Amino acid sequence: MKLSDYAKSIGVSYKTAWRMWKRGELNATQLTTGTVIVNFDKPINKGVVIYARVSSSENKSNLDTQAQRLESYCCAKGYTVVRIVKEVGSGVNDNRRKLIHLLNQDDYTLIICEHKDRLSRVGFNYLKVLLNQLGRDIEVVNLATERTDDLMHDFVSIITSFCARLYSIRRRTRKTECIVKCLEEDE
């Protein structure tokens, strides 16, 4: 079967199937014409993980409906869902416990999320590149643009994060000065 047909049959783009072949995940050969032929002797589908996230606990009811929509999408595409990860937290936060745990797992080949910003507001492309290096990928269901109120919320979150870091640096500097002063007094 040609690589393009194989990609359609498993529900991924041709580019994703090409990357899978380049990483050696497919039992395939390339003809002298450049056509890649996939053999079905060695299926390598570990399954997919659904990742749903909302920013605050006020939107927790939306979390379940988001996960249900993604589950229906996976069912329609014929994906095998390994697990569903639901998380409440800011998309700007880089210490989301459930996402970090998910990224440390290796029992899946694809992460499904509704929007890019549900996985990460900052550095989405970095995550995608790194996961591709590990033989995994991210599939975004809805590529629609963001609403302006979401962007404003993100902007406020980023400013808050930078202010917290700035105050932390000042606090560390004062603490260091205090330690130095105490050491000088002991001498």
Side-chain angles (χ1 to χ4, degrees), residues 71-128:
E71 202 169 4
S72 299
Y73 173 83
C74 290
C75 185
K77 291 278 247 176
Y79 292 153
T80 304
V81 177
V82 176
R83 72 178 157 281
I84 299 172
V85 178
K86 299 177 188 175
E87 191 161 41
V88 176
S90 172
V92 180
N93 183 0
D94 61 349
N95 287 319
R96 282 181 276 141
R97 190 174 42 88
K98 291 183 180 181
L99 178 60
I100 291 171
H101 182 69
L102 169 64
L103 294 173
N104 283 321
Q105 302 298 310
D106 65 349
D107 61 342
Y108 62 92
T109 55
L110 190 63
I111 297 175
I112 306 288
C113 59
E114 192 167 35
H115 299 278
K116 284 171 66 172
D117 66 337
R118 295 298 92 194
L119 193 62
S120 179
R121 294 264 188 196
V122 181
F124 176 84
N125 290 330
Y126 293 125
L127 275 175
K128 189 165 178 65

Side-chain angles (χ1 to χ4, degrees), residues 18-80:
W18 176 263
R19 285 192 301 261
M20 290 169 66
W21 176 70
K22 283 300 222 181
R23 289 188 302 253
E25 295 178 11
L26 300 177
N27 183 9
T29 55
Q30 189 171 23
L31 303 177
T32 56
T33 60
T35 303
V36 177
I37 304 296
V38 179
N39 303 320
F40 283 108
D41 299 340
K42 186 176 92 173
I44 313 231
N45 187 1
K46 289 184 181 178
V48 301
V49 172
I50 292 174
Y51 183 80
R53 182 191 63 80
V54 291
S55 298
S56 64
S57 55
E58 297 167 356
N59 301 329
K60 211 168 188 175
S61 62
N62 187 25
L63 192 60
D64 293 327
T65 56
Q66 188 182 142
Q68 288 172 350
R69 283 191 303 266
L70 291 172
E71 202 169 4
S72 299
Y73 173 83
C74 290
C75 185
K77 291 278 247 176
Y79 292 153
T80 304

Side-chain angles (χ1 to χ4, degrees), residues 168-179:
S168 173
I169 290 169
R170 288 180 184 164
R171 186 173 46 246
R172 282 184 288 183
T173 304
R174 283 195 307 265
K175 191 172 185 178
T176 304
E177 289 170 354
C178 182
I179 290 171

